[in-house]
Amino acid sequence: MFIDRAKIIVTSGAGGDGMVSFRREKYVPRGGPSGGDGGNGGSVIVVANPDLNTLVNFRRHRHFTANKGENGGAKEMFGKNAEDVIVEVPLGTMIYDNKTGELLADMTQEGQRAVIVKGGHGGRGNSHFATSAVRAPTFAEKGEPGEQKEIRLELKILADVGLLGFPSVGKSSFLRKVSAAKPEVAAYHFTTLSPILGVVSLDDERNFVVADIPGLIEGASQGVGLGDEFLRHVERTKVLIHILDAAGSEGRDPFDDFNIINNELSLYSPKLLQKKQIVAANKIDSIQDPKVLDDLRSKIEAKGYEFFPISTLTGEGIRPLLESVWDLLQEIPDVQNEESEKVIVYEEPKEEFTVEVKDGVFYITGKRIEKLVSMTNFEDYVSLRRFDRAWKFMGIDKLLKKNGIQEGDTVNLYGTEFTFSDNRNQEETEE
């Protein structure tokens, strides 16, 4: 089954908590703090695997969760880092943040890795917080929380050549003739229900990949006949072979078909018409009047396209067509990604603080404040003092005042609530 779209949820692991511990060793007076750091949480990493060609595995497996890092131990023993979770996807997979629509990564190279959600850092043990003033700190940091994202995977087949044309013009027969691929061939209007890849070998050193794009019809760019589901696969090809039923065996005019398909390409993305396109007039073995073929040739060549009469039944004309395709491929650089499709490796969001007031409660959100809250032990006095210093350093007081907070109002930080007090300013005034 060919599946080229999927949505999955990825969750990284939180960091392990730091340890509060003191040396209790014989002959070691005043041992001091010895709490170790927590281990880092596992990340979720997407890796491009050339052996995969579909996203069907994600139909049943939609959640990928990394483990939390181990907590720190006594005697400055660090907790173990959690293992990363690896998610393998086919080459050509584009990864989007489903909430924001942002492109996170474009997996175009074998073995390419992209960290989609990063594991939380382990909290520091109390051995890190000893100072000349506080020689026996009784607090340690909690582990940094992990992250969660719903991501959308979209597969665009990576092929050198794409086959275009109406249903039943002979695309599947052409692919069977020139490669070892075995797509279904029948006299139906919709025989190919998914893109099929085949490798064409001209000799031991010259070969290229051809994709049979499912038959397109008028209105494909708007979704008629599932056309918009498959047009995206044309974007990654270098050369297009536009196959026409030159004999008009389906009762259609081949030149009209040619114009209709190219119009659909233009409606979907004008850049598709800029790709190199070769026209293959198929079924010449069924043409009785040579003038029919000559007339079609003159119309196609007048538009500036190369024209090759072929027969997938007898093989006539196929070799010169393939040789011309090979020559074109040598002139065109490798995959030409759009500017928006550049690879983006994970970058930690730099979200500023935001304040929202609901029912008299001031809710503060932001990556830095979330991290501070989650890594603070609010049951320890010294830890609270560190939290207060960080709070002032970040300028949260000024932000709250700007939003109209008053003495005694409630502040909510990711579920932890405080009563706002401006005592610091009062003390400064008294001094």
Side-chain angles (χ1 to χ4, degrees):
M1 182 181 295
F2 183 85
I3 302 294
D4 61 356
R5 284 184 178 177
K7 291 180 182 178
I8 62 175
I9 296 173
V10 292
T11 307
S12 61
D17 297 338
M19 179 74 172
V20 175
S21 175
F22 295 90
R23 290 188 182 90
R24 297 289 189 272
E25 299 179 29
K26 194 175 182 180
Y27 308 119
V28 181
R30 301 178 182 179
S34 63
D37 298 351
N40 294 331
S43 300
V44 178
I45 303 175
V46 176
V47 179
N49 184 347
D51 295 328
L52 301 177
N53 57 16
T54 175
L55 301 175
V56 67
N57 293 337
F58 299 109
R59 293 195 70 182
R60 291 183 174 85
H61 190 182
R62 295 192 64 245
H63 294 263
F64 296 84
T65 304
N67 290 327
K68 176 184 176 182
E70 287 188 357
N71 295 336
K75 299 182 180 179
E76 297 185 344
M77 295 180 64
F78 286 12
K80 183 179 179 181
N81 294 335
E83 292 186 1
D84 296 329
V85 171
I86 303 299
V87 181
E88 294 186 332
V89 297
L91 286 177
T93 301
M94 302 178 70
I95 305 170
Y96 294 90
D97 185 319
N98 197 51
K99 181 179 179 181
T100 65
E102 177 188 6
L103 176 66
L104 302 177
D106 188 1
M107 313 302 286
T108 59
Q109 304 296 325
E110 179 178 349
Q112 181 180 342
R113 299 164 67 90
V115 180
I116 304 302
V117 284
K118 193 173 183 180
H121 292 292
R124 292 176 293 176
N126 69 332
S127 60
H128 285 276
F129 303 107
T131 65
S132 58
V134 182
R135 297 186 178 183
T138 57
F139 73 94
E141 285 181 333
K142 294 183 179 181
E144 182 183 10
E147 297 183 298
Q148 184 177 86
K149 287 182 182 177
E150 182 180 48
I151 60 176
R152 184 175 76 255
L153 307 177
E154 292 188 6
L155 174 60
K156 289 184 179 180
I157 286 180
L158 290 173
D160 299 304
V161 179
L163 302 182
L164 294 178
F166 268 75
S168 299
V169 296
K171 298 191 306 300
S172 296
S173 298
F174 179 85
L175 190 60
R176 290 172 66 97
K177 195 75 173 180
V178 301
S179 73
K182 301 299 180 185
E184 181 182 354
V185 176
Y188 301 123
H189 290 290
F190 295 98
T191 54
T192 305
L193 299 180
S194 63
I196 297 174
L197 298 180
V199 178
V200 176
S201 296
L202 297 178
D203 51 45
D204 292 340
E205 298 181 354
R206 298 188 300 162
N207 55 73
F208 53 87
V209 179
V210 178
D212 177 11
I213 308 299
L216 303 175
I217 61 176
E218 188 170 9
S221 58
Q222 280 75 46
V224 178
L226 297 179
D228 63 336
E229 294 293 320
F230 302 119
L231 275 168
R232 76 168 67 90
H233 300 298
V234 180
E235 294 182 290
R236 288 284 171 83
T237 59
K238 298 180 184 179
V239 175
L240 300 176
I241 298 178
H242 197 148
I243 299 180
L244 302 176
D245 177 2
S249 57
E250 294 291 320
R252 299 189 308 267
D253 181 272
F255 188 64
D256 288 344
D257 287 357
F258 174 79
N259 289 325
I260 289 172
I261 294 297
N262 277 334
N263 183 56
E264 293 303 322
L265 295 182
S266 178
L267 290 174
Y268 184 79
S269 172
K271 291 185 178 181
L272 294 184
L273 278 184
Q274 299 175 11
K275 290 183 177 293
K276 293 292 185 179
Q277 188 176 142
I278 293 178
V279 177
N282 189 26
K283 304 185 182 181
I284 60 174
D285 53 282
S286 300
I287 297 178
Q288 303 299 324
D289 185 358
K291 291 183 179 180
V292 173
L293 188 60
D294 292 339
D295 181 58
L296 180 59
R297 177 194 291 272
S298 63
K299 290 179 179 179
I300 296 297
E301 290 181 345
K303 284 183 168 286
Y305 296 93
E306 285 190 83
F307 184 88
F308 289 87
I310 67 168
S311 171
T312 56
L313 181 63
T314 66
E316 182 181 352
I318 290 181
R319 182 71 186 193
L321 169 63
L322 297 179
E323 290 287 350
S324 180
V325 169
W326 173 258
D327 291 339
L328 280 177
L329 290 174
Q330 306 318 298
E331 301 173 3
I332 303 173
D334 288 337
V335 180
Q336 297 174 318
N337 295 332
E338 297 181 4
E339 184 66 23
S340 62
E341 296 179 0
K342 62 184 179 181
V343 175
I344 301 177
V345 180
Y346 173 85
E347 295 179 0
E348 187 168 346
K350 297 179 180 179
E351 181 184 349
E352 295 297 327
F353 308 122
T354 59
V355 177
E356 187 176 4
V357 184
K358 292 182 180 179
D359 299 327
V361 178
F362 289 73
Y363 293 86
I364 303 179
T365 57
K367 196 68 179 177
R368 289 173 63 193
I369 197 69
E370 180 184 13
K371 179 178 178 179
L372 176 64
V373 170
S374 63
M375 299 182 74
T376 298
N377 180 4
F378 291 102
E379 296 179 0
D380 181 84
Y381 174 74
V382 180
S383 184
L384 278 173
R385 291 292 302 272
R386 287 185 68 251
F387 175 85
D388 183 58
R389 288 195 297 271
W391 171 281
K392 294 173 183 176
F393 177 78
M394 293 179 185
I396 305 298
D397 279 351
K398 293 181 180 179
L399 181 64
L400 287 170
K401 290 177 182 178
K402 187 177 179 180
N403 283 269
I405 197 168
Q406 300 295 324
E407 184 82 17
D409 285 347
T410 300
V411 180
N412 186 297
L413 307 177
Y414 292 93
T416 301
E417 292 193 341
F418 300 89
T419 298
F420 181 77
S421 175
D422 203 16
N423 290 336
R424 181 171 62 91
N425 288 344
Q426 294 177 4
E427 292 172 2
E428 292 176 353
T429 302
E430 292 173 1
E431 290 177 0

